[in-house]
C-alpha cells in the first residue's frame, strides 16, 4: 500500500531530517512538507545531519503550499492529534487501527475478486482490485511542533491516531512520533526479518558431551569430589544437566579446559 508522511507547517529543520531517518529505517520514502518555515529546509545543514544518511528520502521529498496538494493520490487519511471533545474522527491507537484497516482491505479485495469471478466468463485478474486500492494509499499527517494540527485538517481525516503514552508526560518529539507510527505501520504490513549479528552457535553432539563428561569424571576423582568406588549417580545426573543445557561446541571446549586445570592442580598438590 502506498504510504505517505505529511509534515504540516514544520518549524524545526532538524525534525525534517529526523523524520526522513525514521521513515527510511522502516522502509518508507514518500515525504511531503506543507508550507514549512524554511523554504530550503531540505538542504539545511541541520536537516541533513539529523537525516543521518537518509539523503535519498530528502532528495525525493516535495514541498507544497497546501494540504490538498500533499494529499493528491491518497485516500485514507490519519491525523496524529487528539480531536476536539465535541467533534472529529474517532481516536484509536495505531496498532488497533492498522489491524482493522488491513482486515477491511483484505475483505474488500476478496469480495471484489469473487464478484469479478462470478460476472466474468474468463479467469479474472484477482490482483487488480487490490492494486487499485493500494494505489490510493494512506497518508499520515503531522502538525507543527508548537500548535499541532489545525482542527480543519483533523476533521478531514478518517481517524486520529493516539500513541499510548504516560498520562503525566505525553509530549512526543515530532521525529519520535513519526518513528513510532512508521514502526507500527511496518509491523502491520508484515515487518522486516530480524537478522542475527552473530553466527549461530554449533550445538555439541552426544559424542562431544560424553567425552567432556569422561574428562570431568577423571578431574572430579582427582580432586576428591568423586569416589570412583562409590560414584552413586553423580555422572548420570551431570549428563542429564548438560543435556538440558544443550552446550555448544565452544562451551564443551571451556568445560574440558576446566577439567584439565583441575587435573593439573591435583597433580601439583601431590608433589
Amino acid at each position: 500500500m502506498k504510504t505517505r508522511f505529511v509534515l504540516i507547517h514544520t518549524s524545526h529543520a532538524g525534525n525534517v531530517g529526523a523524520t526522513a531517518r525514521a521513515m527510511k529505517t522502516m522502509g518508507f520514502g514518500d515525504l511531503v512538507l506543507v508550507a514549512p518555515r524554511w523554504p530550503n529546509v531540505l538542504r539545511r545543514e541541520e536537516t541533513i545531519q539529523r537525516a543521518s544518511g537518509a539523503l535519498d528520502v530528502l532528495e525525493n521529498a516535495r514541498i507544497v503550499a497546501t494540504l490538498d496538494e500533499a494529499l493528491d493520490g491518497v485516500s485514507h487519511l490519519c491525523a496524529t492529534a487528539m480531536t476536539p471533545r465535541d467533534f472529529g474522527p474517532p481516536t484509536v491507537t495505531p496498532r488497533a487501527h492498522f489491524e482493522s484497516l488491513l482486515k477491511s482491505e483484505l475483505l474488500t479485495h476478496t469480495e471484489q475478486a469473487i464478484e469479478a469471478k462470478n460476472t466474468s466468463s474468463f479467469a479474472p485478474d484477482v490482483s487488480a482490485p487490490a492494486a487499485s486500492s493500494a494505489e490510493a494509499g494512506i497518508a499520515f499527517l503531522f502538525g507543527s511542533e508548537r500548535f499541532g494540527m489545525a482542527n480543519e485538517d483533523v476533521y478531514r481525516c478518517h481517524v486520529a491516531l493516539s500513541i499510548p503514552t504516560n498520562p503525566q508526560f505525553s509530549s512526543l518529539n515530532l521525529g519520535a512520533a513519526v518513528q513510532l507510527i512508521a514502526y507500527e505501520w511496518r509491523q502491520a504490513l508484515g515487518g522486516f526479518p530480524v537478522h542475527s549479528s552473530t553466527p549461530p552457535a554449533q550445538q555439541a553432539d552426544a559424542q562431544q558431551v560424553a567425552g567432556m563428561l569422561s574428562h570431568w569424571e577423571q578431574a572430579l576423582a582427582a580432586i576428591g569430589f568423586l569416589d570412583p568406588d562409590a560414584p552413586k549417580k553423580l555422572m548420570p545426573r551431570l549428563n542429564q544437566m548438560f543435556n538440558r543445557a544443550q552446550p555448544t561446541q565452544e562451551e564443551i571446549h571451556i568445560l574440558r579446559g576446566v577439567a584439565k586445570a583441575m587435573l593439573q592442580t591435583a597433580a601439583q598438590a601431590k608433589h
Side-chain angles (χ1 to χ4, degrees):
M1 180 178 288
K2 177 165 52 175
T3 300
R4 180 173 300 160
F5 288 79
V6 180
L7 304 186
I8 306 170
H9 303 310
T10 308
S11 59
H12 296 287
N15 283 333
V16 176
T19 293
R21 180 180 183 180
M23 290 171 57
K24 185 167 184 177
T25 59
M26 292 298 112
F28 303 115
D30 189 354
L31 172 63
V32 180
L33 310 179
V34 178
R37 176 185 178 187
W38 308 99
N40 66 338
V41 66
L42 297 174
R43 300 185 299 277
R44 292 181 68 87
E45 182 178 356
E46 185 181 0
T47 305
I48 294 172
Q49 289 179 347
R50 291 286 301 278
S52 190
L55 300 182
D56 53 337
V57 177
L58 295 179
E59 290 171 358
N60 294 323
R62 295 181 293 119
I63 295 179
V64 297
T66 66
L67 183 57
D68 283 334
E69 296 174 82
L71 300 179
D72 180 45
V74 294
S75 62
H76 190 79
L77 310 182
C78 299
T80 54
M82 293 298 293
T83 58
R85 295 181 181 179
D86 61 337
F87 183 73
T91 300
V92 190
T93 64
R95 189 171 301 180
H97 180 64
F98 296 157
E99 181 180 355
S100 174
L101 175 64
L102 292 177
K103 283 183 178 179
S104 177
E105 286 290 312
L106 180 60
L107 180 61
T108 299
H109 299 163
T110 302
E111 291 174 345
Q112 290 175 337
I114 294 174
E115 182 180 357
K117 183 176 181 180
N118 291 337
T119 59
S120 176
S121 59
F122 55 89
D125 179 5
V126 295
S127 65
S132 176
S133 177
E135 187 63 26
I138 184 172
F140 300 110
L141 281 58
F142 298 83
S144 70
E145 294 88 338
R146 292 185 62 189
F147 305 109
M149 289 184 62
N151 284 347
E152 57 267 25
D153 294 337
V154 175
Y155 293 155
R156 67 189 299 175
C157 293
H158 297 82
V159 66
L161 299 179
S162 178
I163 298 171
T165 55
N166 177 3
Q168 279 71 49
F169 191 73
S170 59
S171 176
L172 277 170
N173 172 268
L174 176 57
V178 172
Q179 185 73 80
L180 287 169
I181 295 293
Y183 170 79
E184 290 288 354
W185 181 231
R186 174 54 64 192
Q187 291 300 105
L189 294 175
F192 291 123
V194 176
H195 299 286
S196 176
S197 58
T198 57
Q202 296 295 318
Q203 185 176 339
D205 60 28
Q207 185 177 13
Q208 291 170 323
V209 173
M212 179 273 296
L213 286 170
S214 177
H215 201 171
W216 266 65
E217 185 174 14
Q218 298 173 40
L220 293 173
I223 63 174
F225 188 84
L226 171 67
D227 182 358
D229 297 326
K232 299 184 179 179
K233 295 182 179 180
L234 176 61
M235 296 315 299
R237 290 184 183 279
L238 288 177
N239 199 154
Q240 288 295 303
M241 182 182 73
F242 285 116
N243 283 346
R244 291 194 301 273
Q246 297 183 330
T248 65
Q249 294 181 5
E250 183 175 343
E251 290 166 343
I252 289 294
H253 293 322
I254 294 172
L255 290 168
R256 296 199 72 152
V258 173
K260 180 180 179 180
M262 287 193 292
L263 286 168
Q264 291 173 343
T265 302
Q268 292 171 0
K270 291 181 179 179
H271 296 293

